[in-house]
Amino acid sequence: MKVTVLGAGITGVTTAYYLAKMGHQVEVVDKHKEVAMGTSFANGCQLSASNAEVWNSWRNIQKGIKWMLSKDAPLLINPTPTLHKYSWLVQFMLNIKNREQNTKQTCEMALEAHHLYKEIMRDEGITDSDIDKVDRGIMHIYRNQEELEHARLSNKLYTDSGLKRWEVSTSEMLDIEPALEQTSSTIIGGFYNDTDFTADIHKFCAKLAEILKTKYNVKFTQKYLDGNDPLLYRREGPVVICAGPGSRDLCFQLGLILPIYPVKGYSVTVNLKENGDKAPWTSILDDETKIVCSRLGNRLRVAGTAEFAGYDDRIREERVKPLVNWINTTFPGVDTNNAKSWAGLRPMTPNMMPIVRHGDRYNIWLNTGHGHLGWTLGAFTAKQVAEQIADHCN
Ligand SMILES: Cc1cc2nc3c(=O)[nH]c(=O)nc-3n(C[C@H](O)[C@H](O)[C@H](O)COP(=O)(O)OP(=O)(O)OC[C@H]3O[C@@H](n4cnc5c(N)ncnc54)[C@H](O)[C@@H]3O)c2cc1C
């Protein structure tokens, strides 16, 4: 079957992979010439079942209201009213009741995806160094008692879903990650798991795309698609929309309303040069501020912050500053003078669950809306949509 995949980010290339492996003739279409130039370019790089907790809670709403008053807070909501933003926020609140169920399901999908990524790497000969993969687990750190108490409650959701994750004392944390010594006086405790891992999402997409071209004859075409493009209305072969934050606009023109809001985030990447021993190898998640930190060979990537400001991916220095400050205070031995900043839009649904299904229009399929966990969940939902298409066509 001839299948078109729209979007060459992590969801697009992994979808193309599973479809091509099933023997379909696959074409990937993207407005960029290179793959992974959208949100999959420079994210936090964590494959984190331990970050599966959905954000839908009254506790987070309270924090959000408090943060609205501060420009460098982890969350910033542009108060200008738009129907898109406010209807999304209402749906976000309506999904608070589904918090436990959605957290568990996300954690289970993430654990499955871990296996699938490792299978892809083994089957396609992708090495750890090809993608700067680091298998040292993820440590969640806490600097205040209330956050730590909350983490103790949430941990049950993780362990019930099959993730082995346990509380660690500050001295155990230092044994696991000695670079934390530089900030140990501010940390009161943490949680650790040794199965989550990190790798450069952009390098992975580029490597897999190369394999798709040479081994599976997948065609990559550079083209901007608008909702009137005849390709979308074709009935002969499925079209899978993996357009990340662009999926909503595209589907809107097809008469399909996807509840996706582009939640902006930032990353900074530091070239470690001679001070590499001061940077951690274990990936860190600072739970209160939701800042993540991953070691990518001789680089350190720190990412976070959430901004509700529409389809605007411009870099605002005052939003980058908290990330650089975080490095300066947590790992003061790391020189941040060469920090390179980036901004991307998370394709976020109000219940924080990806949309993986037939689009109820023409021959359109959807694999999108992965929010803050597209790298973590990508391989799982790609296989899922490829299997749904196969079942539908049989
Ligand atoms: C700061 C930040 C940190 C993050 N950290 C993590 C992390 O540590 N772990 C994790 O799991 N996730 C993380 N995420 C989330 C993750 O990066 C995203 O969920 C994921 O990259 C989304 O992938 P995607 O393929 O859906 O979208 P994209 O990567 O944006 O790909 C969509 C593609 O579609 C193309 N496209 C869109 N519209 C059109 C059109 N009309 N015509 C042609 N082409 C089009 C775009 O050019 C783009 O290449 C983070 C996100 C941000 C912003």
Side-chain angles (χ1 to χ4, degrees):
M1 208 164 41
K2 204 171 164 189
V3 189
T4 307
V5 174
L6 175 56
I10 187 63
T11 56
V13 290
T14 48
T15 300
Y17 177 71
Y18 284 110
L19 289 165
K21 260 189 95 110
M22 286 174 176
H24 301 302
Q25 199 187 329
V26 182
E27 180 177 12
V28 180
V29 179
D30 197 291
K31 63 186 172 193
H32 293 289
K33 188 161 179 275
E34 309 292 335
V35 302
M37 297 307 286
T39 316
S40 306
F41 185 72
N43 76 358
C45 288
Q46 290 190 331
L47 290 114
S48 49
S50 66
N51 194 17
E53 187 175 357
V54 297
W55 300 355
N56 309 74
S57 70
W58 290 116
R59 192 169 164 269
N60 282 340
I61 302 265
Q62 275 169 357
K63 275 193 200 173
I65 292 168
K66 192 179 81 190
W67 283 336
M68 274 178 90
L69 304 172
S70 155
K71 271 197 167 162
D72 60 358
L75 173 74
L76 192 70
I77 301 183
N78 179 336
T80 313
T82 66
L83 183 61
H84 182 194
K85 184 165 49 200
Y86 283 96
S87 62
W88 189 98
L89 288 170
V90 169
Q91 289 182 62
F92 177 89
M93 286 190 261
L94 292 175
N95 273 289
I96 289 176
K97 61 179 186 303
N98 301 320
R99 176 183 161 267
E100 285 198 17
Q101 180 197 318
N102 288 345
T103 297
K104 283 185 182 172
Q105 200 185 330
T106 307
C107 186
E108 285 162 11
M109 290 193 288
L111 290 171
E112 282 292 323
H114 280 11
H115 295 302
L116 295 175
Y117 281 120
K118 287 181 178 166
E119 198 174 82
I120 296 174
M121 289 182 70
R122 189 198 58 217
D123 292 353
E124 306 304 338
I126 300 175
T127 65
D128 288 1
S129 66
D130 284 338
I131 59 170
D132 290 332
K133 175 166 171 280
V134 178
D135 244 320
R136 298 272 286 258
I138 294 184
M139 177 109 68
H140 288 228
I141 63 173
Y142 300 91
R143 305 177 202 259
N144 100 41
Q145 196 60 38
E146 200 253 320
E147 290 290 332
L148 183 58
E149 294 297 339
H150 176 78
R152 286 179 180 140
L153 295 176
S154 300
N155 201 46
K156 182 156 169 25
L157 296 178
Y158 287 117
T159 51
D160 285 353
S161 314
L163 175 67
K164 290 199 188 87
R165 181 174 181 263
W166 59 95
E167 187 166 358
V168 278
S169 66
T170 41
S171 68
E172 286 168 327
M173 292 167 82
L174 293 184
D175 286 343
I176 296 165
E177 182 44 71
L180 280 172
E181 172 80 57
Q182 299 162 82
T183 195
S184 57
S185 62
T186 66
I187 295 177
I188 59 161
F191 275 84
Y192 179 65
N193 84 82
D194 57 6
T195 46
D196 280 345
F197 56 100
T198 55
D200 187 324
I201 184 172
H202 183 258
K203 285 191 178 179
F204 176 85
C205 290
K207 190 80 195 164
L208 190 58
E210 211 40 58
I211 292 163
L212 286 172
K213 283 180 207 165
T214 52
K215 181 169 165 190
Y216 294 95
N217 289 321
V218 172
K219 191 175 162 202
F220 282 77
T221 305
Q222 184 185 10
K223 183 180 183 193
Y224 175 81
L225 245 73
D226 74 12
N228 298 317
D229 198 290
L231 192 137
L232 296 168
Y233 301 87
R234 205 185 61 191
R235 288 184 188 268
E236 312 88 74
V239 177
V240 193
I241 297 197
C242 301
S247 304
R248 183 181 180 272
D249 272 5
L250 206 58
C251 287
F252 189 75
Q253 295 175 70
L254 292 164
L256 182 62
I257 296 183
L258 299 186
I260 292 177
Y261 194 87
V263 180
K264 188 167 165 177
Y266 289 88
S267 74
V268 293
T269 308
V270 177
N271 192 329
L272 292 166
K273 293 185 192 148
E274 66 282 347
N275 51 14
D277 59 321
K278 298 290 178 202
W281 279 98
T282 307
S283 185
I284 308 287
L285 202 157
D286 192 329
D287 234 343
E288 189 175 4
T289 50
K290 297 274 179 262
I291 289 179
V292 308
C293 162
S294 298
R295 180 77 179 246
L296 303 168
N298 64 353
R299 295 170 298 150
L300 187 70
R301 168 81 46 80
V302 171
T305 78
E307 198 175 320
F308 285 71
Y311 290 91
D312 173 2
D313 63 0
R314 280 172 300 180
I315 296 175
R316 291 169 57 191
E317 280 316 313
E318 75 266 28
R319 300 293 296 155
V320 174
K321 232 167 152 193
L323 298 178
V324 177
N325 288 346
W326 187 88
I327 306 177
N328 290 339
T329 51
T330 313
F331 301 108
V334 172
D335 177 4
T336 50
N337 281 320
N338 65 45
K340 235 171 141 178
S341 35
W342 170 85
L345 302 173
R346 302 176 183 91
M348 204 79 116
T349 60
N351 64 356
M352 308 257 134
M353 304 301 282
I355 304 168
V356 189
R357 60 173 173 85
H358 187 255
D360 299 326
R361 296 281 185 289
Y362 313 100
N363 213 339
I364 298 285
W365 292 80
L366 306 166
N367 180 21
T368 189
H370 293 66
H372 67 306
L373 288 177
W375 184 204
T376 301
L377 304 177
F380 177 81
T381 63
K383 187 160 184 268
Q384 199 180 23
V385 79
E387 286 170 353
Q388 288 174 4
I389 292 171
D391 284 351
H392 183 82
C393 297
N394 279 335

